[in-house]
Amino acid sequence: MSTVVAQSLHVFGLRSHVANNIFFFDEQIIIFPSGNHCVKYNMDQKWQKFIPGSDKSQGMLALSISPNRRYLAISETVQEKPLITIYELSSIPCRKRKILNNFDFPVQRFTSMAFSPDSKYLLTQTSPPESNLVYWLWEKQKVMAIIRTDSQNNAVYQVSFSPQDNTQVCVTGNGIFKLLRFAEGTLKQTNFQRGEPQNYLSHTWVSEDKIVVGTDTGRLFLFESGDQRWETSIMVREPTSDLRNLEVIQESESLIEFPTISSPLPSYEQILTASSHSQLTMPQVFAVAAYSKGFACSAGPGRVLLFEKVEEKDFYHESREIRIPVDPQSNDPSQSDKQDILCMCFSPSEETLIASTSKNQLYSITMSLTEISKGEPAHFEYLMYPLHSASITGLDTCIRKPLIATCSLDRSIRIWNYESNTLELYKEYQEEAYTISLHPSGHFIVVGFADKLRLMNLLIDDIRSFKEYSVRGCKECAFSNGGHLFAAVNGNVIQIFTTTSLENISNLKGHTGKIHSIVWNADDSKLISCGTDGAVYEWNLSTGKRETECVLKSCSYNCVTISPDSKIIFAVGSDQTLKEIADSSVLREMSAFDVVYTAIVISHSGRMMFVGTSVGTIRAMKYPLSLQKEFNEYQAHAGPVTKILLTFDDQFLLTAAKDGCLFTWKVFDKDGRGIKREREVGFAEEVLVTKTDMEEKAQVMLELKTRVEELKMENEYQLRLKDMNYSEKIKELTDKFIQEMESLKTKNQVLKTEKEKQDIFHREHMDDLLDKQSRELQDLEYCNNQKLLLEYEKYQELQLKSQRMQEEYEKQLRDNDETKSQALEELTEFYEAKLQEKTTLLEEAQEDVRQQLREFEETKKQIEEDEDREIQDIKTKYEKKLRDEKESNLRLKGETGIMRKKFSSLQKEIEERANDIEVLKGEQVKLQGVIKSLEKDILGLKREIQERDETIQDKEKRIYDLKKKNQELEKFKFVLDYKIKELKKQIEPRENEIKVMKEQIQEMEAELERFHKQNTQLELNITELWQKLRATDQEMRREKQKERDLEALVKRFKTDLHNCVAYIQEPRQLKEKVRGLFEKYVQRADMVEIAEMNTDLQQEYARQREHLERNLATLKKKVVKDSELHRTDYVRIMQENVSLIKEINELRRELKVTRSQVYDLEAALKLTKKVRPQEVTETGNVTGGEGRWALGSRDQRQPQVHLPLASKAASPKCLPVSGHIHPVAFWEPLHATYLCSKGSVRALPHSEKILGVSYCVRIQNPSDLRAYCILYIT
């Protein structure tokens, strides 16, 4: 075996998915799982002791501690087989007491365990599909009983014993709540589930027969002997973001590494997915812990509720709330407290509560603090420090300080101190961190993020970036030993940067696969790299070229290191060997014995080597290596080791793994030579501080000093004022007391004289009473003596009577005995005869029973046949019902999809409300300041109230006088009331009218609301269309810009190609130029990405184009429909217009006939001259001259627009509008078009005003004399 020994010192990490992962050993020491160890941690002295897991263990699954704190049970899987190890905690170091590994029943793994109250028995639960509950007498490795808890492959989360009864057991799981009792070698269920089955996540015993159970829907049940006694639902006090939490968790596959298939319990993730989407917002009760006053339970993300028992009743009430505080260092502080609490534990004295969370954090709180903060929720504190919650991807240490730098997939960077075992700095970012390197001075770090490579300063209280490089997804980086250079991996290229000018000075190209490891030699002249392409390269940094290379394509290398003399390279990879490489060839290969080495490091002295494996173990070897199996192997991690390092002085070994834990080991040599400390200078204590921070702190110090001086002045002034006030008050009080003392002295003298008088009176009264009492006693004695004599005479007479009565009763008893003996003989004879009759009847009845049995069997057969037929009918009916229910389920799934969309929209509203709440909180703070000032005013007002109380007494006297006046006024009031009643009778009809009008107003408002809704819907449609148009415009611009860029690139390529053609006669130069062109323009990866992007853009463009075309088609259809509707209106108006014109023509014909008749009559009577009127057309316009004629009014003697009047007395018969006859109509020239509004006709030549317009028609054809614009005056 190797003489190199590593002893575990400290661990930074927690495995939260182990069932029952935290408990108290005593008041100061807690036990929790970390890596592949159980850690005993003293909270006061801060030391750790380790209980290592079993050899070849694949990780711990569940823990349990005995009630007497002597034994610890650990469930593991070793080489795919389950194993339970029981340790004795009282021994130092903890030793294995029993190992349970031989099982007579099928089992894959044990997911939950519990010790009995006397610690003699152990209860274990196996995982599905077996789901067996096993009752062990563990010291004899004997199975006392076994029972299957579930047959439907549902998960069982927790098993437990009653706190005072070994035989009483409880099991909870998904749809499982069972109480079992051990009796006669079997476990029997004692309760029966009623109602719908719940997903019971956790439980605890609050007494011998009472259990509190929590579900995934935030409900708590209290069961007593299996019967439900109490139920409550946990209310969500804040808008929850569990969904957002889940999105963050699922955003990266490696952000939180949940248990594998071989994990103990259905993990946190599996429990969440098991519950339906509608229940995701409900607070899930993952943990319940009992204490003397009641119990504590987790109530959703970052929240614990304490319930206390109501006195003399069987139920509990919520007493206090405890929350996980917001972490200011988090990249999203609002979400940093949203961690599910998976396990809780009270200390033996119930002074401390400890909780573990889904993000691998440990929190604690002293219960006395919760009692202080009754109004507001109390807050947890970190038990140690914030821990990594995902795989650690980067690890490094420095020379000048005892610091360790780690980065993780939980997007955080942490700086640890391995001397004090504390966390120095911690910060979270938006992107995942893949690699980290710490400068030898300990002042700077280089971190490879998913988007960029950042160079950062380690300040006294912050990590600040001061240089960024566009290196995406850098998986490896390393500072040189001197600190003047650092290397970073960019794809297949290693880039070398200088820390002085921060420029890229060299690029090392040669790898064809991913680079997994880079390491500097001792003098920084060379760099060694290895990768998945099976290549190990040694680079010379002065020339930037490879010096040696060793390629083995069958092996994918994981890690590489170099000896202190820079002669031998050590590499480990996927082929399960450790290779020694020198001068481009493999010198030796050492077998890894069926494991894969994932990390390797050699000491600076060159005498020790340490290797990390894929199963989480550490192997310590002595150098030079031997081909035999000579190494010490230590259980360390529960996942593959990702990084392994030695400190500069070879004193400490540092290991990190995918389980998120960081171990520090003390290294020493068994040979006694020890490890030389290569440093004699102590660690540096300098820290970086920015100038602005120093100035700000100095400014704050000055402000605080001035503030202190001001406060001193104010306090002195206030003290003087108080002294003055107190001295005045003391004087007043002394005067009062002196006066009271004098008054009390006078009262005392008066009371003394009264007392003397009372004493004399009482003495006389007592003498009189004593005389009376003596007389009464003598009278009572005489009376009692006479009564006693009379009673004695009566007693003698009664004694004689009793003797006579006794003699008479004895004679009667003798007579009765003789009569009874005769009656008994007669009765026996009578009943014997009856017995004979009954026996005969019994025999007959038995024969009847046999006949009835035969008949019953025949009827039974017939009934069974009938029942079989009925069962088949019922079966067919229920199968039909099943099909219907399945169809309805499919419909409901569709509805749930719609509800999810609604839910997402509601979430957005909730976020907006949260912002409003923050604004209101700011206002609240301001108002609190106002309240404080108002409280001071209240004190002043109270003094005024005392003064005013005295004035109130004076005013009460005045009130008495006023009451008399009030009585007189009441008389007047009676008279006025009578008048008011009469007026009310007149008001009632008016009120009825008002009600009618209000109803009409309400109807009108309802119509208005309808119109508003229609308008808003149309506005939304319009905005959507505008947004889509803008998006298409932006895409068009982008495409045009790309086209211009490509044209410019083609032009540049043409010019460079033209320059190359000049060297067509010189092949070497031509070859170099063409190679330059190739490196400059041909970027295969970029071209592929561009092509992919182009196809994606084309698809997106085609999809949006189809969408817009569909919208355009629908709009066209709408336009066609609207035009058809308006066309019908136009046709109707034209038809009405034509009918009106026809009526006018008929009226004019009648007028023409009447005029001719009038003319004939006048000619006959010879009253007028025989003159024929001018010809008037059908339309009423006079045809004469070049222009057309217009018909005017009677009063209008002169025509407008120089048109002659058709007739001076012409007044056409006008159609009525709204029931009125209009005497005047205007006729305009036929080519005019009217645009009319109420009160004016804009197209009239001289803007003549008229009262109103009925309607207007645009004249299409001026040659058609029958088309008019008809205007009516209203």
Side-chain angles (χ1 to χ4, degrees), residues 970-982:
E970 280 177 354
K971 294 175 185 177
F972 290 114
K973 184 187 173 187
F974 180 77
V975 176
L976 291 166
D977 285 337
Y978 180 75
K979 290 180 180 178
I980 287 160
K981 285 176 184 176
E982 289 181 348

Side-chain angles (χ1 to χ4, degrees), residues 1247-1262:
S1247 300
E1248 285 195 5
K1249 301 289 181 183
I1250 61 171
L1251 294 173
V1253 179
S1254 172
Y1255 58 86
C1256 63
V1257 178
R1258 182 178 177 86
I1259 296 166
Q1260 301 290 337
N1261 188 5

Side-chain angles (χ1 to χ4, degrees), residues 1173-1186:
Q1174 289 180 332
E1175 290 284 335
V1176 180
T1177 61
E1178 288 181 356
T1179 59
N1181 280 0
V1182 180
T1183 56
E1186 292 177 1

Side-chain angles (χ1 to χ4, degrees), residues 5 127 210 226 371 403 421 629 684 723 747 758 780-781 792 830 926 928 934 991 1066-1067 1081 1113 1131 1216 1246:
V5 178
S127 61
K210 291 180 182 176
E371 293 173 3
L403 298 182
N421 294 323
K629 195 175 182 180
D723 289 337
K747 281 180 184 178
Q758 288 285 330
L780 282 166
E781 282 177 359
Y792 183 71
F830 175 73
K926 293 176 185 175
Q928 282 175 351
L934 289 170
E991 285 178 347
E1066 296 174 8
Y1081 292 104
V1131 169
H1246 294 286

Side-chain angles (χ1 to χ4, degrees), residues 940-1083:
L941 291 166
K942 280 181 180 176
R943 291 172 191 161
E944 290 180 7
I945 286 160
Q946 289 176 355
E947 294 171 358
R948 289 184 181 181
D949 284 337
E950 295 172 357
T951 56
I952 284 161
Q953 290 175 359
D954 298 331
K955 288 184 178 179
E956 279 177 352
K957 293 175 184 176
R958 292 182 188 175
I959 287 160
Y960 178 75
D961 299 330
L962 291 166
K963 279 181 180 176
K964 289 179 181 177
K965 291 181 182 178
N966 196 17
Q967 288 175 357
E968 293 174 0
L969 290 166
E970 280 177 354
K971 294 175 185 177
F972 290 114
K973 184 187 173 187
F974 180 77
V975 176
L976 291 166
D977 285 337
Y978 180 75
K979 290 180 180 178
I980 287 160
K981 285 176 184 176
E982 289 181 348
L983 289 166
K984 278 182 179 177
K985 289 175 184 177
Q986 295 175 5
I987 288 162
E988 282 176 358
R990 294 282 176 86
E991 285 178 347
N992 292 329
E993 289 178 4
I994 288 161
K995 283 179 184 176
V996 173
M997 295 298 283
K998 281 181 179 176
E999 288 172 358
Q1000 289 178 359
I1001 288 159
Q1002 286 175 356
E1003 289 173 0
M1004 295 293 283
E1005 284 176 349
E1007 286 180 0
L1008 256 173
E1009 284 177 359
R1010 278 203 307 277
F1011 287 129
H1012 280 306
K1013 286 176 183 174
Q1014 289 174 1
N1015 284 334
T1016 52
Q1017 188 61 39
L1018 290 166
E1019 285 172 359
L1020 285 169
N1021 293 336
I1022 289 159
T1023 52
E1024 283 178 4
L1025 290 167
W1026 272 110
Q1027 286 172 358
K1028 287 170 184 174
L1029 270 170
R1030 285 173 191 142
T1032 50
D1033 287 339
Q1034 286 175 359
E1035 283 183 6
M1036 285 281 287
R1037 286 169 194 152
R1038 286 191 207 120
E1039 290 296 326
K1040 284 177 181 177
Q1041 186 62 40
K1042 281 182 183 177
E1043 194 178 353
R1044 289 189 207 110
D1045 294 342
L1046 287 168
E1047 284 174 358
L1049 195 139
V1050 168
K1051 284 178 183 177
R1052 274 189 256 117
F1053 180 77
K1054 282 179 179 178
T1055 53
D1056 291 342
L1057 190 66
H1058 186 265
N1059 293 331
C1060 279
V1061 171
Y1063 300 100
I1064 199 161
Q1065 299 298 327
E1066 296 174 8
R1068 285 184 181 177
Q1069 289 185 359
L1070 182 65
K1071 187 179 179 181
E1072 286 175 0
K1073 292 289 180 181
V1074 169
R1075 188 178 289 165
L1077 280 173
F1078 182 85
E1079 288 175 358
K1080 190 174 180 181
Y1081 292 104
V1082 179
Q1083 297 174 356

